[in-house]
Amino acid sequence: MSEPPTGVPKLETTEDTPYGDVDEDKTQPAEDILSVLRQLNPQSLGVLSTSSNPNIGKQGESSLPPLSEWDQLRAQLREKPFDADSWLKLVDIAEDSADIEKIKETYEGLLEAYPNTSSAQIAYLNHFLGDPETFGFAETLFKRFLRPSSSADLWKFYLTYVRRVNTGLSAREIIKKSYEYALNHVGQDKDSGEIWTDYIQFLRSGETTTTWEEQQKMDTVRKAYHRAVQIPMENVKRLWEEYQDFENGLNKITAKKFLTDLQAGHMQARTVLNQLQEHLTVLFPPPPPSRTSRPPIWLPRQPTFNAGDRALILRWKAYLKWEESNPLEIEEKDKTILTGRLQGVYRKAVVRMRFFSEIWYMAYAWTNSIGKGEEALTILKAGIEANQTSFVLNFAYAEAQEQNQSYAEVHVTYEKFLQVLLRDLEAVESRLQSANSSFSSTTSAAPPPNLSEPAPTLGLPLPGIQSQNSSFNTQVSDEKPSKNKELMERRTDYGIAWIVYMRFARRAEGLKSSRAVFGRARRERLISWEVFEAAALMEYHCTKALDVASRIFEKGMETFHDEVEFVLRYLGFLISVNDENNARALFERVIGTFKPEQARPLWERWARYEYQFGDLAAAQKLEKRMAERFAERHKYLGTDVIAARDLGYPTARQNSLVGRSNGSFGKTETQQSVVSNPPSGTQQIAPSSSTKRAQSPEHRRRDEGRGDYGPPPKRQRPGSPPGRDRDRDRWEGGPPRRRHGTPPWERERDRDGPPPRRFKEERDEEKPVVLPPVLSWFVGMLPAPTAFDGPVFRTDDLMQVFRNAVIPSSSSISRARSPPPPPRGGGRPPPDYGPYQGPGGRRGRY
C-alpha cells in the first residue's frame, strides 16, 4: 500500500472547473493594469472583478459550497499547528466521519506537529490492525514509529501484532527476536514489566526434545530473570518471587547461590522504584478520556511560564539529574545499560516537554557528553523545529556547527532564526497597533514630536560595511516603532540575535564579514540600539579604530537620540576613551531633549565625571544647573516631593499641609537651596562634613530652623557638656529655643499652637495614657534600651517628625499629648551628633 498523504490534497482541475488553466485566460487584466485601475478608480476594480468571475453572484456571494467543519478546523491548524485542543476535536470529527482518508490526513498532520507521541500513534495504528488487507500499511507505520520511540505501550502494541500475525512453530524464532528487539529499546522502562513477564513465559513454554535443549532453555530463562529482577519495574517483586520458585524447582543448592548473588541488585531496584514513583507520578498525568472509542490521546501544551509551568520544569530537571546520577549503581562494565536507560529517559522527556527549550538542551548536552555528536545535533535540530524562537537551542546549534567549521550551516541557522524573530516582532507590533487604533478610533494619530534634530553626520563612510546599492548614510523608514514595553523587549531580543551573529562572523570569517552583517542589521526598521553599541565596541576593541566607533555611535544617534540608555552608553564610551570635548558636547546637545525624570541618569553620570576629574568651578556650575532644573518643576500646592523623597526631609508633606491650613506657603528647603547663591567651596549634592565649608541644606535645616521643616534643635549652652541641656529640655518638656532671625511664620505657628507642655504637666499627669492595642503590642515586643548595641540614629530628627505629625485619635481629636516619661537609669547616654572636632574637641559616638 502506498504512503499516506502528508500534505494538503490538491484540487483536480478539469474543463468544467472555473479555476483550471488560469494562465491561459487572456481575458483577465494583468496585475500592472489592475494597479493602475485601483489608483484611478477603486470602485471600477470591484465591478470588474465581480463581473469577470462567474462564481460571484449578484449579491457578491460565492456559489462554491461552504467548507465542512473538518475543512475549516484543518485550515486553522495549518496556521496554528500547536493548538492541542483543536487537534483533539479534529480527531473526533475524523473518527465520526469513518472516512479513512480524512483519518489518515488528520493523524499525519497531528504527528507532524507532535512527533513520537505514542498515544496518537497507537490510535492511528488501531485503524489498520482489524483487516489483514491493511497489515502492510500498519507495518509501514511501525517502521516509522518504533525506532525513535521509548514508549513501552507502543512496543507492547507492536509485540501483540507480531504474535498475532506469526503463528506456528516456524514463527517462534521471529517472535523471540521481536521480544529481544523491544527489550533492548525499552527493557529498562518502569512500564516494561508486562513485556518481561510475557517474554519469560514465552521462553518457558518452548518445547524441547533433548536434555541439552532443555538445559539451554533453562539457561535462557535464567538470564532473562537475572536482567528483569534488577530493573525498577512495577512487578519487580512478583518477578523475584517467580524466579525464586524457578530456581528452587531446579536445584535448591544452586538456587541459594544464584539468589544470594542477585539479592543486592534486586533490593536496590526496589528502593529505586519507590523514588522513581515519586518522580513520575506528577510528571506523567493520565491522558483525558476519549469521547469516542479511540484510545485516549495526550498532547503537550505550549507553556505560559506561570507558577505551574515553572514548578513542572523544576521537577523534570530534578528527575533528569537524578537519573544521570546512576541511582541503580550500574557498574562501569555495564555502561551500555546505563546509556540505554538514559537515552530512553531523555526521549520521553522531549516528547512530554516538547515546548520547553531547557529540556531539549539538557538532552543535547548529555548526548554530546557521551561522545555521540551527530545524535546530539539531531536532537538540537528537532528541538529547533518545535521551538523556532528558542535562543538557547539556535545558539547552541550554531556554536556546534561552528566548532565543526560548517560555516555555511551557521549562516543558514542565523538567517532562519532572524526571520522567525522578525515575523514574531512584526506580529506583536501589528497587534499593538490594532489595539491602539481600536482604542482611539475617533481621534487621528499624530506622529510623535521630534525631540531633537539628528546629529550631523561626519560624511565619512565606514570601511567595509557599505554595499554597492547603499551607503552608510542610508536612511531607514521614517516610521518610528512604538515605545510599548513588550515591543521594546522584543526589539532588544531581536537585536541580541544580530549581535551574536556579528560575533560569529568576526570569529570565523574576520571583521569584514562582521561589518557586512552589521550593515544589514542597521537597515532593519525594528532593530534595537544595542546593535549599534556592540558594533562600535567591536570596532574599537578589535581594530583600535576610535573614529569608526564614534561614527557608529553617531549613526545610532540619528535613530535612537530619544533612547536615554543609548545616549548614556555613548557618553560613557566617550568618557572611557578620554574624549572630554566630544563627551561634553554630547551632554550639552542631548540634555535638553529629555524630560527631567528621564535625564537623571545623564546628570548623574556627568556629575560623577566632573567630581572625579573636573575642576571645582565646573562642579559648582553643574550643581546649580541641576538644582534649577529639578527644584521648581515638580511641586503642587506647596508639596515638595523632591525634598520629601530625594533630599531626605520626611516632614515636607506634613508641613506643607500645616502651611496651607494657616494660609501661608513658606519656601521649601529645595526652593531656598535653588535661589541661594552658594559660597565658594559649597557642593549641594555631596556636602562634606568639614566645619570650614559652608553649611549644606541639611545643616541649615538642623541649625537654622526653616519654616517648612519644623522647629530647630536646641543650642548648646556655653560650659555645659554636649547634649546635656538639649536632653534635659527634651525630657522636661521645655519650649524650643529660637535663634535670632527666626522666620515670622515659625513665630506665628508657635503663638497659634498649643500651650507649652510644662503648663499642662500637672493636668496631664492625672490622665491615664491609653495606647491603641497595636501600639501596646508593639511596645511590648521591643527590648530594653540597654540591650541595643547598634548604630545610633539622630533622635532629634525623629522626635521632630513625631512632634509635627498629625495623628487623629479614635476618642478625641483635640486630646492633649502626655509628656514623655523620664529617661531610665543606666544604659548609654544620648549621643551628640555634632561634627567631629578632633582629639581635643567634642565628638559623638561616631
Side-chain angles (χ1 to χ4, degrees):
M1 185 174 293
S2 60
E3 292 284 338
T6 59
V8 181
K10 297 181 179 180
L11 296 176
E12 296 181 0
T13 58
T14 61
E15 294 181 356
D16 298 332
T17 304
Y19 297 104
D21 282 342
V22 177
D23 293 338
E24 296 181 1
D25 189 0
K26 304 301 183 181
T27 61
Q28 297 295 328
E31 184 61 27
D32 54 351
I33 301 177
L34 291 176
S35 300
V36 175
L37 291 175
R38 189 180 294 111
Q39 296 176 4
L40 295 177
N41 189 359
Q43 289 78 11
S44 63
L45 181 60
V47 175
L48 177 61
S49 301
T50 305
S51 61
S52 61
N53 192 341
N55 290 307
I56 305 299
K58 294 181 180 180
Q59 302 298 328
E61 299 177 355
S62 175
S63 61
L64 292 176
L67 294 177
S68 64
E69 185 180 7
W70 183 90
D71 292 325
Q72 294 177 1
L73 197 56
R74 185 70 184 95
Q76 294 176 8
L77 288 171
R78 292 190 186 98
E79 298 294 330
K80 298 180 179 180
F82 299 127
D83 188 350
D85 294 329
S86 297
W87 276 115
L88 295 178
K89 184 178 179 181
L90 186 70
V91 168
D92 291 336
I93 295 174
E95 296 275 2
D96 293 340
S97 68
D99 187 345
I100 193 63
E101 294 302 325
K102 282 187 177 181
I103 292 174
K104 285 183 178 181
E105 184 176 349
T106 299
Y107 279 106
E108 289 292 340
L110 172 62
L111 291 173
E112 183 179 357
Y114 302 94
N116 298 327
T117 305
S118 60
S119 57
Q121 292 171 340
I122 293 173
Y124 188 17
L125 283 163
N126 205 38
H127 289 279
F128 307 101
L129 298 181
D131 188 357
E133 295 182 358
T134 59
F135 283 176
F137 185 70
E139 291 182 3
T140 303
L141 295 179
F142 274 125
K143 291 179 182 179
R144 287 172 50 194
F145 298 159
L146 285 176
R147 184 176 294 275
S149 177
S150 60
S151 171
D153 294 334
L154 180 61
W155 282 96
K156 285 187 286 187
F157 198 73
Y158 162 70
L159 292 172
T160 302
Y161 166 76
V162 170
R163 298 189 68 168
R164 176 184 176 186
V165 174
N166 298 279
T167 58
L169 297 176
S170 60
R172 186 170 182 83
E173 190 65 23
I174 298 176
I175 296 175
K176 181 181 178 181
K177 289 182 178 179
S178 299
Y179 270 107
E180 288 290 341
Y181 185 64
L183 291 173
N184 288 335
H185 278 78
V186 294
Q188 290 288 326
D189 193 273
K190 181 180 71 71
D191 299 326
S192 62
E194 185 178 344
I195 300 177
W196 281 105
T197 300
D198 294 343
Y199 179 49
I200 292 173
Q201 294 300 326
F202 172 78
L203 293 178
R204 297 183 68 172
S205 65
E207 298 181 0
T208 58
T209 56
T210 63
T211 305
W212 183 85
E213 290 180 352
E214 182 67 21
Q215 186 64 36
Q216 292 294 319
K217 184 181 79 171
M218 293 299 103
D219 290 342
T220 304
V221 174
R222 180 179 291 112
K223 290 179 180 178
Y225 271 122
H226 284 195
R227 294 167 59 190
V229 297
Q230 299 184 78
I231 301 173
M233 299 180 296
E234 297 286 353
N235 60 344
V236 64
K237 182 179 179 181
R238 182 164 57 84
L239 286 173
W240 176 256
E241 294 172 353
E242 292 178 2
Y243 177 56
Q244 286 179 321
D245 297 338
F246 170 76
E247 290 290 357
N248 289 323
L250 294 179
N251 190 327
K252 292 186 178 181
I253 298 176
T254 59
K256 185 176 181 181
K257 177 182 181 301
F258 286 127
L259 294 174
T260 302
D261 294 342
L262 291 176
Q263 182 75 27
H266 170 69
M267 295 307 298
Q268 182 68 19
R270 291 173 64 172
T271 302
V272 171
L273 176 63
N274 295 331
Q275 301 173 2
L276 189 62
Q277 289 173 336
E278 294 179 1
H279 282 288
L280 299 185
T281 301
V282 180
L283 301 182
F284 288 86
S290 173
R291 186 178 61 83
T292 62
S293 59
R294 64 166 172 80
I297 297 176
W298 184 91
L299 298 176
R301 264 64 172 176
Q302 288 186 303
T304 58
F305 293 103
N306 54 17
D309 289 339
R310 293 195 298 270
L312 181 62
I313 193 68
L314 289 177
R315 284 182 171 270
W316 268 105
K317 290 169 63 177
Y319 167 61
L320 294 173
K321 291 297 182 182
W322 176 77
E323 287 282 5
E324 288 184 11
S325 66
N326 189 14
L328 287 172
E329 300 179 0
I330 300 175
E331 299 179 359
E332 186 66 23
K333 62 184 179 65
D334 299 324
K335 188 176 180 179
T336 55
I337 297 177
L338 178 61
T339 300
R341 178 179 179 83
L342 285 172
Q343 280 182 324
V345 167
Y346 272 110
R347 285 176 180 174
K348 278 190 173 183
V350 297
V351 171
R352 301 287 298 194
M353 303 290 284
R354 178 169 176 77
F355 304 111
F356 290 83
S357 303
E358 195 170 1
I359 299 299
W360 285 97
Y361 184 79
M362 291 180 67
Y364 156 74
W366 176 83
T367 307
N368 196 44
S369 67
I370 62 175
K372 296 186 177 183
E374 292 298 326
E375 185 176 346
L377 287 178
T378 303
I379 292 174
L380 276 182
K381 291 184 68 174
I384 292 174
E385 291 178 3
N387 305 272
Q388 295 183 358
T389 59
S390 171
F391 285 81
V392 62
L393 297 182
N394 281 279
F395 290 166
Y397 183 74
E399 288 183 359
Q401 293 292 0
E402 183 181 354
Q403 290 178 350
N404 297 335
Q405 296 185 352
S406 301
Y407 298 150
E409 182 67 19
V410 178
H411 281 287
V412 172
T413 302
Y414 279 118
E415 294 290 345
K416 184 177 179 181
F417 183 46
L418 289 169
Q419 290 177 3
V420 171
L421 292 180
L422 181 59
R423 184 170 62 248
D424 287 355
L425 184 58
E426 291 175 344
V428 172
E429 184 184 35
S430 177
R431 173 170 55 83
L432 293 174
Q433 289 178 351
S434 300
N436 293 335
S437 61
S438 62
F439 180 75
S440 58
S441 58
T442 58
T443 60
S444 59
N450 190 5
L451 299 180
S452 68
E453 293 296 329
T457 58
L458 302 179
L460 299 177
L462 286 177
I465 65 173
Q466 67 272 12
S467 62
Q468 295 178 355
N469 298 327
S470 63
S471 64
F472 183 71
N473 293 323
T474 302
Q475 297 295 329
V476 296
S477 174
D478 293 336
E479 182 183 356
K480 295 282 290 184
S482 173
K483 294 295 183 181
N484 180 270
K485 181 180 179 181
E486 179 185 2
L487 185 62
M488 295 296 292
E489 291 177 352
R490 292 293 187 93
R491 289 179 63 188
T492 301
D493 298 343
Y494 182 53
I496 290 175
W498 277 106
I499 292 172
V500 177
Y501 191 13
M502 289 162 49
R503 291 175 181 171
F504 152 73
R506 183 194 59 80
R507 290 193 306 263
E509 301 170 347
L511 195 59
K512 182 178 180 181
S513 178
S514 176
R515 287 171 174 174
V517 174
F518 171 64
R520 293 174 48 204
R522 65 185 176 82
R523 288 189 289 271
E524 291 288 340
R525 185 179 61 88
L526 295 174
I527 202 65
S528 63
W529 60 263
E530 287 87 352
V531 178
F532 284 84
E533 184 201 18
L537 295 180
M538 188 179 299
E539 290 285 347
Y540 175 71
H541 289 286
C542 294
T543 65
K544 309 300 180 185
L546 177 59
D547 57 339
V548 178
S550 299
R551 288 202 298 272
I552 293 177
F553 271 115
E554 282 295 333
K555 189 63 180 177
M557 286 291 294
E558 297 181 7
T559 306
F560 304 106
H561 58 271
D562 55 346
E563 295 282 352
V564 67
E565 282 293 329
F566 178 71
V567 178
L568 187 62
R569 298 280 181 162
Y570 185 16
L571 180 63
F573 170 76
L574 293 176
I575 293 175
S576 66
V577 298
N578 202 25
D579 192 353
E580 179 185 359
N581 293 333
N582 284 328
R584 190 179 302 276
L586 174 66
F587 176 77
E588 297 295 342
R589 186 177 68 189
V590 301
I591 198 61
T593 64
F594 291 103
K595 297 179 180 179
E597 59 272 13
Q598 294 176 322
R600 182 167 185 170
L602 295 173
W603 285 103
E604 292 176 349
R605 182 65 183 93
W606 188 245
R608 188 164 67 250
Y609 172 75
E610 290 284 13
Y611 294 156
Q612 293 177 351
F613 311 111
D615 54 17
L616 183 59
Q620 292 175 349
K621 180 179 179 182
L622 180 65
E623 289 171 359
K624 184 177 179 181
R625 290 178 60 189
M626 293 175 64
E628 291 175 352
R629 182 172 180 84
F630 286 100
E632 299 295 334
R633 299 188 182 183
H634 303 89
K635 293 185 301 182
Y636 181 72
L637 296 179
T639 301
D640 193 346
V641 293
I642 293 181
R645 298 292 184 179
D646 298 312
L647 301 184
Y649 304 147
T651 60
R653 187 181 304 274
Q654 288 84 351
N655 289 336
S656 63
L657 293 175
V658 173
R660 286 199 299 272
S661 64
N662 294 334
S664 62
F665 295 87
K667 293 185 178 180
T668 63
E669 192 69 26
T670 311
Q671 291 172 303
Q672 296 184 12
S673 64
V674 172
V675 299
S676 61
N677 293 324
S680 177
T682 301
Q683 290 192 6
Q684 298 174 8
I685 295 180
S688 172
S689 61
S690 175
T691 57
K692 293 183 179 298
R693 299 186 54 174
Q695 292 178 335
S696 65
E698 185 177 0
H699 289 102
R700 288 199 301 271
R701 179 176 64 87
R702 292 196 302 266
D703 297 338
E704 296 180 9
R706 314 303 300 200
D708 285 350
Y709 299 103
K714 314 297 184 302
R715 293 189 61 185
Q716 180 180 339
R717 292 182 179 179
S720 61
R724 176 178 300 176
D725 293 338
R726 176 184 58 196
D727 295 316
R728 184 182 61 187
D729 292 342
R730 180 185 307 162
W731 297 114
E732 293 178 358
R737 292 175 172 83
R738 298 291 178 186
R739 295 183 62 183
H740 177 71
T742 302
W745 54 84
E746 287 285 353
R747 294 194 296 270
E748 292 175 3
R749 185 174 62 182
D750 293 340
R751 184 173 59 251
D752 298 336
R757 191 180 305 167
R758 62 176 178 267
F759 295 116
K760 297 184 181 180
E761 196 168 11
E762 296 180 359
R763 271 188 314 180
D764 293 340
E765 287 178 354
E766 299 175 0
K767 298 180 181 179
V769 178
V770 180
L771 293 178
V774 176
L775 291 180
S776 300
W777 171 84
F778 176 73
V779 172
M781 294 293 293
L782 294 177
T786 56
F788 182 77
D789 194 24
V792 180
F793 299 93
R794 298 183 181 276
T795 55
D796 53 348
D797 289 349
L798 294 177
M799 295 303 298
Q800 200 170 344
V801 174
F802 297 152
R803 206 176 283 122
N804 298 326
V806 180
I807 303 176
S809 175
S810 58
S811 59
S812 175
I813 298 179
S814 60
R815 173 181 295 175
R817 289 178 294 179
S818 60
R824 301 177 183 176
R828 183 185 297 108
D832 181 33
Y833 295 98
Y836 178 62
Q837 301 293 333
R842 63 183 183 91
R843 58 182 176 180
R845 185 185 177 193
Y846 297 105

